[in-house]
Amino acid sequence: MRIAVLSITHFSKAGAGNTTKALHRFVGSIAFVGAPRAAFAVLDDPDDKDRRLFLHAKNNLAASPQGLAFRLEQKIVGEAGKSIAASRVKWDGEPVSMTADAALSADSGEVRTTRKEAMDFLRQELVSGPVGVKLVNDHAKALGISERTLKRARAELKVKSTRVGGLGDDGDWELSLP
């Protein structure tokens, strides 16, 4: 059908110090990043305050692409007497090999364990209230969080598991924060 869908969002500020995993920092449900085939992040360069990085955060279409770098610069545009200063993007000529996760890690100066990342994922996923176990497991799997790591993170956070609906095949399970 030759169409594309583009969605733009921001990183959450509340969890800014809690994770260096880019996928867990996007605002809203992890599904907004888990469902698309590719997600990119624009970040400050940890080594150059005037440079920005355009890096992949997720890509399941092909091998991870290299990132791009750019700077914002002022340019006078318009005719004489009617000119204004405007911002424009000036792309760097060299590709960037850093990932969004690496840029976030360099910026925060910390190294994260997979369990802590899984715990951050659970906090974000369950912050608005109970969520079905199957949905949480599917989102975690899409992000590369193993079932074993997720179970350990659930135990450490003391996540509640509650049966909803009927008994047997008629019921489901939901997870919630304590």
Side-chain angles (χ1 to χ4, degrees):
M1 298 185 84
R2 302 183 56 88
I3 62 169
V5 177
L6 174 68
S7 174
I8 298 173
T9 187
H10 298 274
F11 277 159
S12 62
K13 290 181 173 51
N18 294 336
T19 184
T20 57
K21 187 121 174 120
L23 289 177
H24 298 166
R25 293 276 306 275
F26 286 90
V27 167
S29 169
I30 198 70
F32 295 133
V33 183
R37 296 289 175 213
F40 295 86
V42 175
L43 304 163
D44 292 332
D45 186 334
D47 299 324
D48 183 345
K49 68 177 183 69
D50 295 325
R51 189 167 100 148
R52 307 291 181 265
L53 303 174
F54 181 82
L55 305 170
H56 81 279
K58 174 198 172 184
N59 180 0
N60 61 10
L61 293 172
S64 297
Q66 291 181 315
L68 302 171
F70 66 92
R71 296 174 191 280
L72 296 175
E73 63 179 27
Q74 294 288 308
K75 173 96 175 151
I76 303 296
V77 295
E79 301 171 11
K82 296 182 182 179
S83 61
I84 61 168
S87 296
R88 73 174 186 176
V89 172
K90 181 170 192 258
W91 294 98
D92 286 359
E94 295 294 317
V96 177
S97 59
M98 183 183 300
T99 66
D101 291 346
L104 286 170
S105 181
D107 194 36
S108 72
E110 68 180 63
V111 177
R112 302 289 292 175
T113 66
T114 54
R115 188 180 314 164
K116 287 188 183 207
E117 289 173 355
M119 289 168 61
D120 291 338
F121 160 76
L122 285 169
R123 284 185 195 103
Q124 183 174 353
E125 194 75 357
L126 304 175
V127 72
S128 297
V131 179
V133 171
K134 183 175 178 358
L135 187 61
V136 171
N137 290 345
D138 289 347
H139 290 170
K141 185 177 181 181
L143 294 172
I145 299 172
S146 74
E147 188 176 326
R148 185 175 180 179
T149 300
L150 188 62
K151 283 182 181 180
R152 288 178 176 165
R154 282 176 54 182
E156 192 166 334
L157 286 174
K158 297 177 176 44
V159 169
K160 294 180 187 176
S161 183
T162 308
R163 186 159 181 86
V164 292
L167 298 173
D169 292 338
D170 295 333
D172 285 315
W173 290 89
E174 288 183 335
L175 300 177
S176 62
L177 293 171

